[in-house]
């Protein structure tokens, strides 16, 4: 039997339990992953208690309440607070999601919060998304077309409808970091988010680079490392289906290969 052990410096320890706020009737407990690269200590789980009557309903509201009123060193990303920017993506109660759209009332018991899984951590709840953004840039997410026309490039309603379920992606990385294939092959597998974006441009009737785009992703690792586990679709906070986009890309790649071999 193979025995696996974690490096000693990666073992998570029990951290500090902060005092409960006084005079409150509705307490919520949050257990939050903490790690500071500058102190040389192992990661830990700190326990906080918030006054739910003095705080907004979302997990992000609780994090902001903690940072403002208890522990200013708590580090996380956030921006729009409306489920649009994707900045506050993290693992909450075991699932990747957006802290700004996840209601505390949807979670029973202590709220457990970790950074997105299988990513290097910059600090606390902030993952290093460098590779993720490099993969997004690699699919060339812009219109590749001929010279600009005198007026706008037109699309019929039917052509525009093909972008529905694709353009709404906010690059929160929830899908890619929920994918086991991406965990083990992040350096070569493009991952659900980048592949969904690649398909978005393939489907755009105004784009002239469909063949080149499909050829780029047509690779045993870039595309076919997807094994249709469906975690990506399960966790997408926008209700999109990266798995379907990847399946459609595979079909297009196969058809293009067959056409070229004739």
């Amino acid at each position: 039997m193979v025995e696996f052990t974690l490096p000693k410096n990666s073992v998570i320890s029990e951290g500090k339990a902060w005092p409960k706020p006084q005079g409150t009737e509705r307490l919520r407990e949050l257990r939050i992953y903490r790690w500071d690269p500058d102190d040389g200590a192992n990661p830990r789980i700190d326990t906080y208690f918030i006054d739910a009557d003095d705080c907004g309903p979302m997990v992000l509201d609780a994090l902001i309440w903690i940072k403002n009123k208890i522990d200013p060193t708590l580090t996380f990303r956030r921006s729009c607070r409306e489920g649009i920017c994707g900045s506050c993506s993290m693992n909450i109660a075991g699932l990747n999601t957006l802290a700004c759209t996840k209601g505390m009332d949807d979670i029973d018991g202590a709220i457990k919060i970790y950074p997105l899984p299988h990513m290097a951590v910059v600090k606390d709840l902030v993952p290093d998304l460098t590779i993720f953004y490099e993969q997004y840039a690699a699919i060339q997410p812009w219109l590749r077309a001929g010279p600009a026309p005198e007026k706008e490039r037109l699309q019929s309603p039917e052509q525009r409808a093909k972008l529905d379920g694709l353009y709404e992606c906010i690059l929160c990385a929830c899908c890619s970091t929920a994918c086991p294939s991406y965990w083990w092959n992040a350096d070569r597998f493009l991952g659900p988010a980048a592949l969904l974006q690649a398909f978005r441009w393939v489907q755009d009737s105004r784009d002239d680079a469909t063949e080149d785009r499909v050829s780029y992703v047509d690779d045993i690792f870039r595309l076919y490392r997807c094994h249709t586990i469906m975690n990506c679709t399960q966790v997408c906070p926008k209700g999109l289906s990266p798995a379907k986009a990847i399946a459609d890309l595979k079909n297009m790649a196969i058809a293009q290969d067959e056409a070229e071999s004739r």
Side-chain angles (χ1 to χ4, degrees):
M1 179 182 294
V2 177
E3 182 178 350
F4 295 96
T5 58
L6 292 171
K8 290 182 179 180
N9 63 357
S10 70
V11 176
I12 301 175
S13 61
E14 191 66 26
K16 179 177 179 178
W18 293 77
K20 298 178 181 179
Q22 298 298 312
T24 180
E25 296 182 359
R26 286 206 308 140
L27 284 175
R28 287 306 305 262
E29 178 183 349
L30 289 88
R31 294 177 56 78
I32 302 176
Y33 177 97
R34 304 297 309 276
W35 181 70
D36 186 342
D38 296 326
D39 64 13
N42 276 23
R44 67 184 192 274
I45 302 297
D46 279 2
T47 301
Y48 301 88
F49 297 89
I50 67 161
D51 180 353
D53 291 324
D54 185 45
C55 179
M58 302 301 177
V59 172
L60 181 60
D61 294 320
L63 292 173
I64 294 172
W65 196 93
I66 290 169
K67 188 172 181 69
N68 289 342
K69 299 195 175 189
I70 301 177
D71 182 4
T73 68
L74 179 61
T75 304
F76 54 92
R77 290 191 180 110
R78 55 104 171 184
S79 183
C80 74
R81 300 179 67 172
E82 296 291 341
I84 295 171
C85 72
S87 297
C88 65
S89 56
M90 54 191 73
N91 187 277
I92 302 171
L95 287 176
N96 296 349
T97 189
L98 302 177
C100 67
T101 60
K102 185 65 174 179
M104 287 188 283
D105 289 344
D106 296 333
I107 304 169
D108 294 328
I111 301 171
K112 299 178 181 180
I113 306 175
Y114 292 80
L116 292 174
H118 288 264
M119 305 286 278
V121 175
V122 178
K123 185 179 180 182
D124 293 346
L125 301 175
V126 178
D128 186 347
L129 297 176
T130 302
I131 294 176
F132 177 80
Y133 287 127
E134 288 175 350
Q135 290 164 331
Y136 175 58
I139 59 102
Q140 299 187 345
W142 54 81
L143 195 66
R144 294 172 59 188
E150 293 183 4
K151 296 185 177 181
E152 68 272 17
R153 290 185 169 90
L154 299 178
Q155 279 186 314
S156 68
E158 293 76 20
Q159 291 171 329
R160 169 59 184 78
K162 290 184 177 181
L163 304 183
D164 290 340
L166 303 172
Y167 80 89
E168 300 95 332
C169 173
I170 57 175
L171 294 174
C172 63
C174 285
C175 62
S176 291
T177 55
C179 172
S181 291
Y182 191 78
W183 296 345
W184 312 132
N185 301 282
D187 57 333
R188 301 177 69 180
F189 175 44
L190 288 176
L195 289 172
L196 180 139
Q197 290 285 339
F199 189 62
R200 175 257 179 272
W201 291 102
V202 165
Q203 288 292 91
D204 197 319
S205 61
R206 301 165 297 176
D207 192 86
D208 297 332
T210 296
E211 186 175 337
D212 287 346
R213 292 185 186 277
V214 173
S215 294
Y216 176 75
V217 300
D218 187 8
D219 177 84
I220 191 171
F221 272 95
R222 288 175 185 160
L223 175 61
Y224 292 102
R225 193 51 48 176
C226 168
H227 297 303
T228 322
I229 297 170
M230 301 295 290
N231 282 8
C232 55
T233 297
Q234 179 185 8
V235 302
C236 177
K238 305 299 287 186
L240 311 182
S241 181
K244 183 181 184 303
I246 294 171
D248 290 338
L249 266 180
K250 289 178 180 178
N251 289 334
M252 293 186 71
I254 291 169
Q256 185 166 297
D257 290 342
E258 289 176 348
E260 292 174 352
S261 64
R262 294 193 189 109

